[in-house]
Amino acid sequence: MFRTLMASAAAAAPAPSSSATKPLISLTQPLTRRSCDTIRRALEVAYSQSELAHNPAEAHAAVLVPFCNVNGTPGILLEVRGKLRTHSGEVSFPGGKVDETDASTLAAALRETQEEVGIRPDQLEIFGRFGPPETSLGGLRVWPYVAFVHPESEEASQDLDDDAPLPSLSLSSLTLSPREVAHAFHLPLSAALSPPRLHSYLFRGARPYYAISVADIARGPNAVHSDGADVRWAEDPEQRDEIGGGREGRLEVWGLTGWYLCSLMRILGVYE
């Protein structure tokens, strides 16, 4: 059914995993210590975690892909950028530019995550990173890290059985920075395999990936808002890649964020 619905997609577009190659983790059952370890190992296999060198002549940024359970559902926390940020109204991961005070790109991702949504570093269980780091439209080399968000601290969950569901994050516990984040929402992992949500694009005109429509999720019960206003986003009249909230009036996980999410789904066997 999926392949029929996506027949208009580019021929080289990523495909969902077949029944013979299931995703490495469940897309519907809560994340556990065992599934977190699976994500960590998949990142280690896919990308060298010791490859930390970067060109100091470039400007750098870092983002965090924050896995979490919300109401027992596994997913990823995403933001809709605030009015005073570059590309306001677009979906993104927490993160931003590496400052001189940051000891590393990971330190920058952790600092920005706390500043933007109020998640402390001690709540985060870092799995690793993937790549290669791409360059943003603003010229920043962006390093993507992956973590799990614990509602309290990582230590509070260490005594759980390997197959016990990890505690769910209450989105009401987040503290959004109104200047930087208009909305934050939980994207269920199952959305990555929902045909009506998926649109096949070419990243930078060459590499196929899936963008995911999320307007209903960003407006739904598993979202929090800085100002209580309706979720709004800009539409680019020229329909240029990575400008605005998405194509044809949609709010989408697209552009660099969509490319990174699609790349991570490939690593986890969600897409072939």
Side-chain angles (χ1 to χ4, degrees), residues 61-121:
V63 296
L64 188 73
V65 184
F67 281 82
C68 55
N69 291 325
V70 171
N71 297 324
T73 299
I76 292 171
L77 187 67
L78 288 159
E79 306 173 348
V80 179
R81 291 177 174 178
K83 294 181 180 179
L84 297 184
R85 292 184 65 180
T86 303
H87 303 308
S88 65
E90 296 179 7
V91 176
S92 69
F93 298 118
K97 188 174 181 180
V98 177
D99 290 343
E100 292 182 359
T101 57
D102 294 317
S104 64
T105 51
L106 174 58
L110 298 180
R111 174 183 55 76
E112 289 282 353
T113 298
Q114 184 166 14
E115 290 176 359
E116 291 174 10
V117 294
I119 294 174
R120 307 182 312 274

Side-chain angles (χ1 to χ4, degrees), residues 208-251:
Y209 76 100
Y210 280 138
I212 304 177
S213 295
V214 295
D216 60 318
I217 298 175
R219 289 188 173 116
N222 289 326
V224 288
H225 315 283
S226 287
D227 55 11
D230 189 18
V231 178
R232 299 179 184 275
W233 59 93
E235 181 179 358
D236 180 40
E238 299 178 28
Q239 294 290 288
R240 291 169 293 179
D241 287 342
E242 304 182 55
I243 303 296
R247 294 228 177 112
E248 299 177 359
R250 293 184 294 265
L251 179 65

Side-chain angles (χ1 to χ4, degrees), residues 45-60:
V45 170
Y47 194 76
S48 173
Q49 303 302 302
S50 62
E51 190 179 337
L52 298 176
H54 61 269
N55 183 355
E58 293 182 311
H60 296 269

Side-chain angles (χ1 to χ4, degrees), residues 13-14 199-203 207-211 253-255 258-259 262 266:
H199 302 273
S200 181
Y201 298 155
L202 292 177
F203 180 64
R207 291 170 283 175
Y209 76 100
Y210 280 138
V253 186
W254 77 320
W259 171 254
C262 190
R266 286 190 180 104

Side-chain angles (χ1 to χ4, degrees), residues 146-201:
V146 185
F148 180 81
V149 184
H150 294 270
E152 297 179 14
S153 67
E154 179 184 353
E155 291 183 358
S157 303
Q158 286 182 346
D159 294 334
L160 290 174
D161 182 82
D162 284 350
D163 294 312
L166 289 170
S168 288
L169 177 71
S170 171
L171 295 183
S172 64
S173 69
L174 301 179
T175 303
L176 307 189
S177 168
R179 292 173 58 88
E180 298 183 280
V181 182
H183 317 279
F185 62 93
H186 178 254
L187 177 70
L189 294 183
S190 58
L193 286 179
S194 173
R197 295 190 181 278
L198 302 184
H199 302 273
S200 181
Y201 298 155

